[in-house]
């Protein structure tokens, strides 16, 4: 870690450093820390009115689910109360290493209990399907979801036109789906999320981080 890589924002379980925040300036690949922060913000702040229905898991938890022993998963996932959640959001990464962050592509897997579906949204044309299906198999017992009835569904998803915006599409799609599922926001995902809106979201998140950091400093 660089000596000048100072902490910009500490938000509950999320810690963002300058090197994380700089990625939002683009064109850069969004890392685990930024996705984790956005998911935590959605669950704790933006959609906290539906916190009893939603679970948005951070990337490190999802990576743990992929590789941990079943007995370890029981202890780790029990506090999340996943069997009580109507919607569970998981950022999926193709990283096959258990010891460090990495990978080259992000997608989004959403469990919708009422439909017994694992819905996969991939801005890279199903590049992560194999990884997402394996994650579904690992997670099913801890959701108390029927392995026999549960379905894996590839969903229509806006396509990225570059090699670095997959993480931003995960953030944008997750936010839009939370609005649809919890606020009856009846607008098509394909109509709302565009290349331009994804770039705009980068700047919105950047501004939000600095506003939150400024507020935290003023009240500390």
């Amino acid at each position: 870690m660089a000596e000048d890589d100072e902490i910009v924002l500490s938000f509950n379980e999320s810690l963002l450093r300058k090197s994380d925040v700089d990625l939002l300036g683009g064109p850069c690949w969004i890392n685990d820390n930024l996705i984790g922060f956005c998911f935590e913000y959605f669950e704790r702040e933006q959609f906290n009115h539906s916190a009893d229905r939603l679970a948005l898991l951070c990337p490190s938890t999802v990576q743990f689910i992929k590789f941990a022993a079943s007995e370890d998963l029981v202890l780790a996932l029990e506090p999340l109360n996943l069997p009580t959640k109507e919607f569970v959001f998981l950022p999926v990464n193709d990283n096959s290493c258990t010891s460090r962050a990495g990978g080259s592509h992000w997608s989004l897997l959403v469990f919708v209990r009422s439909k017994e579906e694992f819905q996969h949204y991939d801005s890279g044309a199903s590049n992560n399907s194999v990884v997402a299906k394996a994650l579904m198999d690992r997670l099913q017992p801890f959701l108390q979801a029927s392995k026999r009835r549960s379905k894996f569904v590839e969903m229509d998803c806006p396509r990225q036109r570059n090699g670095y915006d997959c993480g931003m599409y995960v953030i944008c799609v997750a936010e839009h789906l939370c609005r649809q599922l919890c606020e009856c926001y009846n607008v098509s995902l394909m109509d709302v999320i565009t290349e331009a809106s994804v770039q705009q979201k980068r700047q919105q998140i950047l501004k939000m981080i600095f506003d939150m950091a400024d507020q935290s400093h003023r009240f500390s």
Side-chain angles (χ1 to χ4, degrees):
M1 184 187 301
E3 292 184 3
D4 61 347
D5 194 16
E6 72 271 12
I7 295 172
V8 175
L9 177 66
S10 177
F11 174 73
N12 294 298
E13 301 299 320
S14 297
L15 186 70
L16 296 178
R17 294 185 176 274
K18 182 179 182 298
S19 58
D20 302 315
V21 177
D22 285 348
L23 298 175
L24 290 167
C28 296
W29 197 75
I30 299 300
N31 68 7
D32 301 47
N33 292 338
L34 286 168
I35 293 176
F37 162 72
C38 289
F39 273 36
E40 189 171 16
Y41 180 83
F42 293 157
E43 185 172 306
R44 290 179 178 266
E45 298 290 338
Q46 189 170 345
F47 302 105
N48 67 345
H49 53 69
S50 298
D52 59 330
R53 305 170 64 198
L54 288 173
L56 291 99
L57 306 191
C58 69
S60 59
T61 298
V62 175
Q63 194 71 356
F64 183 77
I65 292 170
K66 285 163 62 177
F67 298 110
S70 295
E71 56 270 23
D72 295 330
L73 281 178
V74 172
L75 295 175
L77 296 181
E78 185 176 8
L80 301 180
N81 297 315
L82 296 183
T84 71
K85 305 297 183 179
E86 296 178 38
F87 313 107
V88 180
F89 289 69
L90 303 101
V92 181
N93 190 278
D94 61 354
N95 181 14
S96 60
C97 179
T98 61
S99 60
R100 65 179 185 272
S104 61
H105 186 60
W106 292 105
S107 61
L108 179 68
L109 186 65
V110 183
F111 174 65
V112 180
R113 188 173 298 279
S114 63
K115 296 183 177 181
E116 295 192 345
E117 284 184 358
F118 287 83
Q119 300 178 353
H120 187 223
Y121 297 84
D122 192 339
S123 62
S126 305
N127 287 348
N128 270 0
S129 287
V130 173
V131 181
K133 288 178 180 177
L135 181 60
M136 177 188 76
D137 290 339
R138 291 280 287 166
L139 190 61
Q140 272 178 331
F142 304 96
L143 293 168
Q144 294 181 6
S146 168
K147 190 165 187 177
R148 182 174 59 84
R149 292 194 301 268
S150 295
K151 302 181 292 292
F152 181 89
V153 183
E154 286 288 354
M155 306 296 289
D156 288 338
C157 183
R159 295 284 184 258
Q160 64 188 92
R161 296 186 180 182
N162 55 50
Y164 54 82
D165 263 336
C166 52
M168 283 304 308
Y169 275 84
V170 165
I171 291 169
C172 291
V173 171
E175 181 181 30
H176 181 84
L177 293 176
C178 284
R179 285 184 176 140
Q180 282 189 325
L181 297 169
C182 299
E183 297 181 346
C184 300
Y185 183 60
N186 192 25
V187 181
S188 168
L189 176 72
M190 304 298 287
D191 291 337
V192 170
I193 299 179
T194 64
E195 188 175 7
S197 70
V198 168
Q199 299 311 312
Q200 185 180 30
K201 177 57 68 174
R202 278 183 179 264
Q203 299 308 309
Q204 289 174 350
I205 295 171
L206 189 62
K207 181 179 185 303
M208 181 177 71
I209 289 170
F210 284 124
D211 286 347
M212 291 172 67
D214 182 60
Q215 185 177 21
S216 176
H217 291 152
R218 284 191 284 115
F219 287 97
S220 62

